[in-house]
């Protein structure tokens, strides 16, 4: 998860005008924008990395801690980080997870007294520059982590096809093949901790869940 912020009128350097939802940008354009964010004197950003193993632990507890709640809590952690850095937040734009009004009310309760105007909308990362910049931060950071992933299970486990796991979506044939090739290679662990065990396709391959 990512957040980005700057003063709306007092920036000494121009804010890049072509921020957009990171999924709508080419890889080359995202890289250029991320370098601009990193080198810009007036843009700050926050990154909250949440690994697959953390999601697995949370979602597979006796009382599951679901993805929406995880997303909300990560967003609030980043807002607190900005506030604790001494930044005054006037308006906070949030790309919603779940119902926008309920999420906005939750944020207003948690940050009561800070006089923050929360704008919580669907596709906010395609509408508001700070959200768009945050999307670039999150996507570029995620890609770098994935591309340079070090398997915690080595030297006892080396995955078939290495890092050729595709996009991570079940509609991607490369991802499906990687999952099949690496299922239960290192019994009884099922998959390396790079894989989210609470994910439907993972459960199916391991013989769990309604579609197994």
């Amino acid at each position: 998860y990512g957040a980005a912020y700057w003063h709306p009128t007092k920036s000494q350097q121009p804010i890049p005008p072509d921020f957009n939802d990171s999924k709508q940008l080419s890889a080359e354009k995202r890289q250029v924008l991320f370098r601009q964010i990193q080198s810009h004197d007036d843009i700050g950003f926050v990154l909250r990395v949440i690994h697959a193993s953390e999601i697995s632990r949370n979602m597979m507890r006796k009382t599951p801690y679901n993805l929406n709640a995880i997303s909300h809590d990560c967003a609030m952690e980043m807002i607190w980080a900005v506030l604790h850095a001494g930044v005054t937040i006037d308006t906070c734009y949030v790309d919603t997870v779940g119902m926008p009004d309920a999420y906005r009310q939750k944020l207003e309760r948690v940050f009561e007294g800070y006089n923050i105007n929360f704008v919580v909308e669907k596709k906010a990362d395609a509408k508001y520059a700070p959200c768009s910049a945050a999307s670039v931060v999150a996507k570029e950071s995620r890609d770098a982590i994935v591309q340079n992933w070090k398997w915690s299970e080595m030297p006892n486990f080396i995955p078939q096809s290495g890092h050729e796991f595709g996009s991570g979506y079940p509609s991607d044939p490369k991802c499906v093949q990687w999952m099949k090739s690496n299922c239960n290679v290192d019994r009884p662990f099922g998959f390396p901790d790079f894989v989210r065990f609470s994910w439907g396709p993972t459960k199916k391959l391991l013989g769990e869940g309604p579609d197994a």
Side-chain angles (χ1 to χ4, degrees):
Y1 295 94
Y5 58 93
W6 56 82
H7 195 282
T9 60
K10 294 184 179 179
S11 177
Q12 300 300 309
Q13 297 175 249
I15 302 297
D18 41 5
F19 285 128
N20 198 347
D21 173 6
S22 64
K23 295 184 290 297
Q24 306 302 319
L25 298 170
S26 68
E28 293 76 15
K29 185 62 179 177
R30 277 198 310 271
Q31 291 169 4
V32 169
L33 286 172
F34 190 38
R35 286 195 294 268
Q36 290 177 327
I37 291 169
Q38 290 174 300
S39 63
H40 201 293
D41 291 338
D42 298 314
I43 298 178
F45 67 90
V46 183
L47 183 69
R48 169 59 163 98
V49 176
I50 180 163
H51 290 294
S53 56
E54 181 179 351
I55 298 173
S56 297
R57 289 194 303 273
N58 284 326
M59 292 190 66
M60 299 180 78
R61 300 188 315 196
K62 185 176 181 179
T63 302
Y65 175 29
N66 67 43
L67 279 174
N68 280 14
I70 293 171
S71 176
H72 291 181
D73 288 346
C74 286
M76 289 187 283
E77 284 179 31
M78 293 189 294
I79 295 169
W80 281 122
V82 174
L83 290 171
H84 290 160
V87 177
T88 299
I89 303 174
D90 178 76
T91 302
C92 180
Y93 302 97
V94 182
D95 190 25
T96 194
V97 174
M99 300 300 291
D101 286 344
Y103 191 4
R104 176 181 52 77
Q105 291 167 11
K106 181 178 183 179
L107 290 167
E108 289 172 346
R109 288 194 302 272
V110 171
F111 295 97
E112 185 178 2
Y114 285 89
N115 298 317
I116 301 172
N117 174 37
F118 286 101
V119 178
V120 183
E121 297 181 9
K122 294 180 180 179
K123 301 187 182 300
D125 51 358
K127 301 176 183 176
Y128 304 106
C131 255
S132 303
S135 178
V136 169
V137 168
K139 183 70 169 66
E140 282 298 297
S141 301
R142 173 191 177 276
D143 286 354
I145 290 169
V146 169
Q147 289 164 10
N148 296 284
W149 186 261
K150 305 297 183 185
W151 306 99
S152 64
E153 297 83 4
M154 291 180 68
N156 299 315
F157 169 77
I158 299 176
Q160 303 292 321
S161 303
H163 288 69
E164 298 299 317
F165 31 63
S167 65
Y169 290 101
S171 58
D172 183 346
K174 185 180 285 189
C175 176
V176 171
Q177 184 56 48
W178 190 94
M179 293 286 289
K180 289 180 177 178
S181 298
N182 287 285
C183 181
N184 276 325
V185 170
D186 188 22
R187 290 181 182 273
F189 302 106
F191 285 102
D193 66 5
F194 178 76
V195 174
R196 179 158 64 89
F197 282 76
S198 55
W199 191 37
T202 308
K203 291 183 176 182
K204 183 176 180 181
L205 285 169
L206 291 175
E208 304 172 7
D211 297 324

